[in-house]
Amino acid sequence: MPESERAEAIGPPSEKFRQLISELKRVVGEGHVLSSQVDLSVYECDGETLDIARPDLVVLPASTEEVQAVVRLANRYFVPVTPRGAGTGLSGGATTVVGGISLALTRMTKVLEIDPDNMVARVEAGVTNAAVSLAAERFGLYFAPDPSSQAASTVGGNIAENSGGPHTLKYGTTVNHVNGITVVLADGSVTTFGGRARDCLGLDLLGLFVGSEGTLGIATEAWLKLIPRPEAVETMTCYFQSVEAGGRAVSAVVAAGVIPAAMELIDRLTLRAVDDAHHMGLDRGAGSLLIIELDGSRAGIETLREVVVRCVSVEGAFGVRWAADAAERASIWKARKSAFGSLGRLAPHAYVLDGVIPRSRLAEAIREIEAIGGRHGVTIANVYHAGDGNLHPALLYHQDEQEMARVMKAGQEILELCVTLGGTLSGEHGIGIEKLHTMPILFSDADLKAMQWVKESFDPRGLCNPGKVLPAPGACGEFVPRPLLRHRLPAGS
Ligand SMILES: Cc1cc2nc3c(=O)[nH]c(=O)nc-3n(C[C@H](O)[C@H](O)[C@H](O)COP(=O)(O)OP(=O)(O)OC[C@H]3O[C@@H](n4cnc5c(N)ncnc54)[C@H](O)[C@@H]3O)c2cc1C
């Protein structure tokens, strides 16, 4: 940062901080600036609860103009700003690791327009993912990215994390479904990347912003691509004696030339927890449960069904069942999408990983993950977006620091395994604070430096979600990191 732009970071209980609070209240209204410890405690982490750091203030703006005014004040007072949607993130992205302002966009929930002719929705960034498809339903359209958190997670969070979901296999992640965004940049200026129609020229700043985890600015509105609901949908469940057999069946389906809309695999531990929660009459003795969804034209889907059944049968599938109607399909997806919640029956906390491996190495990865769990005495429940090789091992733990240290070590080894197998650190949950220390496993110094240049070009004062994504020294700028558990536990303990 240039010397001329340096300023003293402020925080409570200084006089300057009190002035900042009154100015913020003038912008967003008295009731939309939270500063009591009870209120702040609600915002001290996201869905990754290993790392906790309380913000100094929570500010809840209602418009792009208010976001802009808040960011300008943050600049004037030199206070970091961490954007926040619903706080369902699983990598600590919305956790205020250096304090400052948690800027929650949850009052900005309007679907501003559905444009069926251009198949686009214009929405505020705090609207939930599910609300977009609901608003588009009467036009036979929907928003394809469907994170399992879609009832709660916001479009702004989906954009920042480039979220995917069970249907990523066929439809891709959020970046494939955004035409434009309005952004408040770190200096308080407002700009748009793309628009109703996607720009296909110049530097792809929209592509750069999607997945930048709140480190380059704050998205306040978005033009989302909508797609027609498929004419026919068929959803199948079947069981295998082992998870490996399920993994092989997934590879076999793709090798046969079928790209289902979704292929989701869950292991026995998860299957039993889901059955306990939803009383679905699942086969509790099975080693794994595979969900395959096909969609497309009515004419072609019958043939695809036959190919899929043939492929899973070769790997020993049993209990093959196609959902009889939309209600049965909905109950299958409800069960799958609440799998993480169901794990609460097994342990109070789960550290959910998000590694990616080449699909062909799924069975190998499954065996190795089990071995890592065994070595560290950690119980691991597994949910896989198996079709695209995106693994979600959930490491279960209690509030016990030694156990948590073992969980973190096992987590690190699983991510290293993913990279060794030719995969990557994250499929959809982002880096946040959680995977900062693993970035050098995947990226060279030159890669990380290039990312740091981009960050500094957008945010030279380091005010926008500091301490995330980039492990470079000084990534937190002038601000003092709060003592996260991740920092306290010695590496390798
Ligand atoms: C039960 C459960 C299931 C999940 N399933 C999936 C899944 O299937 N697929 C998947 O991809 N994820 C999944 N997630 C993770 C999470 O829901 C997604 O990452 C989601 O997109 C986060 O949205 P959010 O509104 O909660 O964002 P938050 O958690 O509040 O924030 C996430 C990140 O986005 C930034 N951010 C938020 N809003 C903005 C904005 N307007 N502008 C700029 N930056 C912003 C934050 O700073 C932070 O870095 C799941 C989480 C849970 C708890």
Side-chain angles (χ1 to χ4, degrees), residues 46 82-90 93-94 105 125 146-149 153-154 156-158 160-161 163-166 209 213-214 217-219 340 385 428-429 465:
D46 61 7
T82 297
R84 185 179 177 102
T88 66
L90 290 171
L105 274 78
D146 65 334
S148 302
S149 58
S153 68
T154 66
N158 296 171
E161 298 289 1
S163 295
F209 192 92
E213 303 189 29
I218 297 138
F340 292 146
H385 297 311
E428 51 186 22
H429 296 169
N465 207 0

Side-chain angles (χ1 to χ4, degrees), residues 88-444:
T88 66
L90 290 171
S91 58
T95 304
T96 48
V97 296
V98 297
I101 295 174
S102 175
L103 188 72
L105 274 78
T106 42
R107 289 175 67 215
M108 296 178 59
T109 57
K110 291 191 204 79
V111 174
L112 299 164
E113 180 190 350
I114 301 284
D115 171 358
D117 295 335
N118 291 302
M119 298 205 292
V120 166
R122 188 164 72 89
V123 303
E124 291 184 329
V127 71
T128 64
N129 170 300
V132 180
S133 289
L134 202 62
E137 196 169 8
R138 67 198 166 103
F139 301 104
L141 301 170
Y142 75 111
F143 180 51
D146 65 334
S148 302
S149 58
Q150 68 190 136
S153 68
T154 66
V155 163
N158 296 171
I159 288 171
E161 298 289 1
N162 190 16
S163 295
H167 293 82
T168 293
L169 174 61
K170 182 167 178 183
Y171 293 100
T173 54
T174 301
V175 73
N176 305 113
H177 301 273
V178 183
N179 280 352
I181 43 178
T182 300
V183 178
V184 176
L185 294 172
D187 65 354
S189 55
V190 178
T191 186
T192 56
F193 301 144
R196 192 173 298 269
R198 196 172 175 142
D199 285 340
C200 295
L201 69 171
L203 296 183
D204 182 10
L205 296 181
L206 175 62
L208 178 65
F209 192 92
V210 178
S212 62
E213 303 189 29
T215 61
L216 303 183
I218 297 138
T220 56
E221 283 185 17
W223 285 267
L224 304 177
K225 215 181 275 181
L226 301 173
I227 60 172
R229 289 181 181 273
E231 190 187 8
V233 183
E234 296 279 0
T235 309
M236 184 203 79
T237 50
C238 63
Y239 300 97
F240 296 89
Q241 290 299 355
S242 66
V243 193
E244 287 94 328
R248 285 194 301 271
V250 165
S251 296
V253 169
V254 179
V258 179
I259 301 293
M263 281 202 280
E264 299 283 297
L265 187 64
I266 64 177
D267 70 0
R268 177 185 289 156
L269 199 57
T270 313
L271 178 160
R272 288 184 177 174
V274 168
D275 197 47
D276 285 340
H278 295 280
H279 311 292
M280 294 180 69
L282 299 178
D283 184 338
R284 302 170 66 90
S288 65
L289 168 71
L290 178 64
I291 304 170
I292 298 187
E293 187 157 283
L294 301 169
D295 66 8
S297 69
R298 215 175 298 285
I301 215 161
E302 195 54 43
T303 317
L304 296 182
R305 268 178 63 145
E306 283 166 20
V307 177
V308 164
V309 171
R310 212 177 313 127
C311 290
V312 298
S313 302
V314 168
E315 296 301 338
F318 55 97
V320 174
R321 178 180 168 80
W322 292 92
D325 51 29
E328 190 177 346
R329 177 173 315 115
S331 81
I332 292 169
W333 283 116
K334 184 172 175 212
R336 161 60 191 89
K337 291 190 174 187
S338 59
F340 292 146
S342 304
L343 294 175
R345 292 175 171 260
L346 304 177
H349 303 285
Y351 174 25
V352 180
L353 297 173
D354 177 39
V356 179
I357 45 124
R359 189 178 39 236
S360 58
R361 304 195 76 174
L362 193 54
E364 196 179 343
I366 289 166
R367 271 195 307 277
E368 285 295 320
I369 291 171
E370 196 181 342
I372 291 171
R375 262 203 313 280
H376 293 285
V378 173
T379 305
I380 304 180
N382 288 286
V383 177
Y384 313 88
H385 297 311
D388 44 342
N390 187 189
L391 317 177
H392 289 322
L395 284 57
L396 307 181
Y397 67 95
H398 304 76
Q399 212 64 30
D400 163 340
E401 284 219 352
Q402 282 196 343
E403 187 188 20
M404 286 150 88
R406 283 187 280 116
V407 160
M408 282 197 201
K409 186 80 180 89
Q412 162 114 7
E413 285 184 21
I414 291 172
L415 291 179
E416 284 167 2
L417 168 73
C418 292
V419 175
T420 308
L421 292 178
T424 190
L425 299 170
S426 174
E428 51 186 22
H429 296 169
I431 299 301
I433 176 72
E434 178 224 347
K435 303 183 199 79
L436 264 188
H437 60 293
T438 56
M439 288 287 272
I441 302 174
L442 188 65
F443 295 107
S444 68

Side-chain angles (χ1 to χ4, degrees), residues 15-147:
E15 180 50 35
K16 256 184 135 180
F17 194 72
R18 277 195 291 275
Q19 273 171 30
L20 170 64
I21 293 181
S22 15
E23 293 211 49
L24 287 167
K25 284 183 175 171
R26 273 201 291 279
V27 171
V28 296
E30 177 85 23
H32 301 123
V33 178
L34 312 179
S35 57
S36 81
Q37 289 305 315
V38 173
D39 286 341
L40 298 179
S41 67
V42 177
Y43 295 82
E44 67 187 7
C45 65
D46 61 7
E48 191 269 276
T49 52
L50 280 161
D51 298 302
I52 288 175
R54 210 167 271 192
D56 296 317
L57 287 175
V58 175
V59 181
L60 297 125
S63 64
T64 299
E65 293 71 27
E66 288 188 8
V67 171
Q68 177 177 39
V70 171
V71 173
R72 283 186 172 155
L73 282 172
N75 266 277
R76 178 135 58 84
Y77 284 86
F78 199 53
V79 171
V81 176
T82 297
R84 185 179 177 102
T88 66
L90 290 171
S91 58
T95 304
T96 48
V97 296
V98 297
I101 295 174
S102 175
L103 188 72
L105 274 78
T106 42
R107 289 175 67 215
M108 296 178 59
T109 57
K110 291 191 204 79
V111 174
L112 299 164
E113 180 190 350
I114 301 284
D115 171 358
D117 295 335
N118 291 302
M119 298 205 292
V120 166
R122 188 164 72 89
V123 303
E124 291 184 329
V127 71
T128 64
N129 170 300
V132 180
S133 289
L134 202 62
E137 196 169 8
R138 67 198 166 103
F139 301 104
L141 301 170
Y142 75 111
F143 180 51
D146 65 334

